[in-house]
Each structure stands twice: as structure tokens, then as C-alpha cells.
Amino acid sequence: MNLEAPAGDGADLVARSRALLDRHWRAAGYTVPNEAVYPWQWLWDSCFHALVWNRLGRPDRAIAETRRALGAADPTGFVPHMIYEGVGPDTDFWGRPHTSSITQPPIYGHTLAELHRTGTEVPGDLVAAARAGLVHLLAHRPRHDSGLIPLVHPWESGCDDSPRWDDTLQGDWSRDAWRVRKSELVAEIVRGAGGAPLRNPHFDVAPVGFNALVAFCARELCTVAPDAELAGLADQLASSICGRWDPGAATWVDAGETETGSGRVRTLDAVLALLVDDTPGRVGSAARDLVEPDAFGSPWGPSGVHRAESSFDPVTYWRGPVWPQLGYLAWLALERLGRSAEAAVVAQGVVAGATASGFAEYWDPDTGGGLGAIPQSWSALAALFVDG
Ligand code: GLC
């Protein structure tokens, strides 16, 4: 397969990204992922939008959007993954009005670090709110025996239909059965006195991907404001993640009830362990996989699932398509590890995919054809990879 993606026009891509984000900006101070399918604020989406706003010369919007996301936190630092505006679902569903009661990967640590690196002043209240969100996960949510932080719900991973969770479904995975199970799992979350989610006895999973993002984003926040306690917590978590590499499976393995089965499926979110594990042999193997066409590589960016997995399906939500925000994070890991050749292939693929798919939520790694919500704001991350 030819890994050369069609060359795009950078200025045009930037102009289209700006038009998309402008259209999706809301006066309340955030960007909707999609006007019809996702008409509210989502936590990790907003953290990615803020990176794009900053790239587009609107750090004010980057700050505003991050502030609104973190402003929904409760006194324990728990940050909900959705903030509704106008009509949301019944309060009964989440057990509270206005916001959800689970979280998503705390990308805000990276976002604030990136703003800081590019010369945008990061207000102290945002650093404090981000720290509280990270400490909530690192110190208040009870740990799994493995040392990893457990999820209370697959939605917390941001990758909710990933084959990594398949073993938690009794019986064969199907999108419909999983949809029903995902709703049931919300009611089974065990919460603290103020309602923050603590654990889920019916979803005993502590994934390396989510944990790598927590450890990485905590370290990132420490580059904005040195913080020995936070750095110590991040180092400890990172060392637990490094212990999860399995040379036979050639991936990092999740802890919990999926450990001996679906928790070993080679998914892209697990490869994000590269953000905290720089062991040379692993880096070589994972970096190669990210660009090899018989693994994750495609001209349209890295697929969400390794092609050799029996669950790989190039067109089904979280079962194989390319996701631009995961592509961005994979690129970031490669860049930081000095793997610039593979990083360039990933970046070029995300640009080609975002362009070909019409800025889709996710797309087919075989054709670049758009899937899910179109257009979706986080596709504009491609603007970070071009000049213009
Ligand atoms: C989907 C994705 C999730 C994202 C949300 C809004 O549910 O799985 O990661 O945050 O859409 O874009």
C-alpha cells in the first residue's frame, strides 16, 4: 500500500477549520462537536478544540472553552464529561441536572501545557482547576490492585465501543446489545457522598490507554506550574503502565476482568502508552505498527484497531475507523520520542483523512470516506499539521 497521502493545501485546510469552528462556537463559551448529533459540550472534545483555537490565533476562545469545561467540576475535583445547554436528558439518567456524572480523559493538562508553550498566558484558576481534576483521578478514585485507575463506565475512555471492553458483555458483542448495556452500566456506578463516581462493580476495567493519558496530562500540567506532589503521582502511575507491556501480545494490556482476553486486543488507544513508556524495544515495535499497512497504518491516518484483530471492522464506530484525536495523540507520542519519520506519516494521514472525509467524526482507513457525525469539530486538529 502506498503510504503517501495526497498533498493538501495548508491554507485552505486552515480556512476550512476556522469556518467550521466559528460555525460550531456557542455564545456560552464552547464549541459543539456537531450541531445535530452532539449539540452540547464534551470534555475531551473541548480540550482538543482549545488546541485548534489556539492554533487559529484565538487563545481567548481556547481559555474560555477550557474554563467552561473545568468550571463544571464538583468540590472533589471530579469533572463531568458533558455539560448540557438547553434541554438535556432526564435528570434521572445521570442522577443530576445540567451535567453528566462520569468523566473523560483529562486532556486539559496537555491543552494548558500547549497554550503555555506557545506563549499564551494560562490563568492560575485554570491551573488549579486542572490540578484538582487530575488529583481527583489520581488520589481520590480508588485504585485497582494493578495500580491503575479503573473506569466506572466505557464512555469514560472516550472510546466506548472499543473491542477492549468486549469481555464485559456476557455473550457476543453487537452494537445493539452494547448500547443497552452502556445505559444499564450508568445505573450501576457506585458514587461518593457528593455524587462523584468511584467504581463500578459491573465494569471492572482499568485500561492502559486512559491511564497513560492521566499520567501524561499530569506531567504536562507540571510544565506549566512545577508540582512535586502531582509529578510523584504521575510517575507512580507511569511505572504501573510500563509494567503492562506484553511482548507476546505486542501491546500494553489492561487490568481487570478483561486482562486475559479482550484487554489484549491491539487498539490504538492502548498504543498511547507510548506517551509515558519510552522503553526502546517497545517504542520500536509500536512506532512501526502505527504506520505499517498490515497493522494500524493507512494513507488516511492510523486505524483505531490493528487490522489483524478478528474484531477489526473499518466502518463501525470504535471497531476500526481512524479517529483524528487519537491520530493527534499518536503523532504527539511519536514526536516526543524522536520518531519524526513515523510522526510525519501519521500527521499526513490525518490531514488527508480530515480533508477526504469532509471533516468527519471518524473515517474509513481504506478509503478516507467520512463516518459518524459530519462535520465534527475535532477533525480541525488537522490544522495543527499544516502551514498556512
Ligand atoms: C462520541 C465519542 C466520544 C466523544 C463524543 C462527542 O460519543 O465516542 O469520544 O467525546 O462522541 O464527540
Side-chain angles (χ1 to χ4, degrees):
M1 189 185 286
N2 177 13
L3 278 181
E4 288 292 310
D9 173 346
D12 180 57
L13 183 75
V14 172
R16 291 171 66 195
S17 300
R18 191 187 305 278
L20 176 61
L21 260 65
D22 272 334
R23 188 171 118 197
H24 285 178
W25 179 255
R26 294 293 174 266
Y30 71 103
T31 315
V32 293
N34 175 274
E35 291 181 309
V37 185
Y38 303 115
W40 302 296
Q41 184 168 13
W42 268 259
L43 176 59
W44 79 328
D45 298 64
S46 278
C47 300
F48 293 116
H49 303 160
L51 294 170
V52 182
W53 280 122
N54 192 49
R55 156 70 178 90
L56 296 175
R58 292 299 306 262
D60 55 323
R61 289 197 169 174
I63 297 277
E65 182 150 2
T66 312
R67 179 174 276 127
R68 188 174 190 268
L70 291 172
D74 77 5
T76 72
F78 160 69
V79 189
H81 91 305
M82 291 175 70
I83 306 175
Y84 297 101
E85 196 186 356
V87 183
D90 288 349
T91 301
D92 286 356
F93 186 73
W94 293 116
R96 57 172 69 186
H98 313 307
T99 76
S100 72
S101 51
I102 59 168
T103 196
Q104 266 185 338
I107 303 298
Y108 41 82
H110 168 62
T111 301
L112 297 186
E114 194 55 27
L115 294 181
H116 177 69
R117 276 192 287 271
T118 55
T120 298
E121 192 185 328
V122 179
D125 67 298
L126 280 193
V127 176
R131 182 183 198 277
L134 286 157
V135 169
H136 176 87
L137 290 170
L138 284 158
H140 299 182
R141 183 175 285 194
R143 292 287 174 99
H144 185 265
D145 290 345
S146 59
L148 299 189
I149 301 165
L151 299 183
V152 302
H153 194 285
W155 279 328
E156 288 200 310
S157 67
C159 317
D160 47 303
D161 283 24
S162 163
R164 281 242 162 176
W165 328 131
D166 285 5
D167 283 357
T168 68
L169 187 69
Q170 312 304 323
D172 290 340
W173 187 89
S174 74
R175 194 165 175 182
D176 288 344
W178 187 233
R179 188 178 293 128
V180 172
R181 187 70 196 119
K182 285 189 290 191
S183 284
E184 291 169 354
L185 279 168
V186 172
E188 293 168 354
I189 297 169
V190 176
R191 300 177 181 285
L198 297 178
R199 61 191 178 84
N200 192 330
H202 302 281
F203 188 74
D204 171 30
V205 179
V208 285
F210 180 84
N211 277 269
L213 293 173
V214 175
F216 171 67
C217 290
R219 284 179 171 169
E220 282 282 82
L221 191 65
C222 293
T223 69
V224 183
D227 186 328
E229 189 194 347
L230 188 59
L233 288 165
D235 288 351
Q236 196 187 32
L237 183 59
S239 94
S240 298
I241 294 161
C242 293
R244 308 296 308 173
W245 171 261
D246 182 316
T251 189
W252 292 264
V253 174
D254 295 345
E257 63 182 295
T258 56
E259 176 158 357
T260 54
S262 62
R264 317 168 76 79
V265 172
R266 287 162 292 175
T267 57
L268 183 55
D269 65 293
V271 180
L272 299 179
L274 280 179
L275 286 165
V276 295
D277 189 348
D278 60 359
T279 311
R282 303 172 186 180
V283 171
S285 156
R288 250 189 330 274
D289 276 359
L290 284 173
V291 298
E292 280 301 320
D294 59 357
F296 295 96
S298 101
W300 316 103
S303 58
V305 177
H306 191 294
R307 279 177 186 274
E309 295 291 347
S310 55
S311 49
F312 173 76
D313 172 349
V315 295
T316 299
Y317 181 76
W318 286 116
R319 313 289 290 185
V322 178
W323 289 77
Q325 83 287 15
L326 294 192
Y328 168 78
L329 292 168
W331 166 83
L332 188 65
L334 291 167
E335 269 297 308
R336 297 170 71 94
L337 290 162
R339 306 287 302 208
S340 15
E342 289 99 342
V345 172
V346 168
Q348 200 179 21
V350 171
V351 169
T355 308
S357 71
F359 285 70
E361 179 185 4
Y362 54 97
W363 52 82
D364 184 335
D366 292 331
T367 65
L371 299 164
I374 304 175
Q376 176 93 347
S377 301
W378 64 21
S379 255
L381 282 166
L384 271 63
F385 296 138
V386 297
D387 296 326

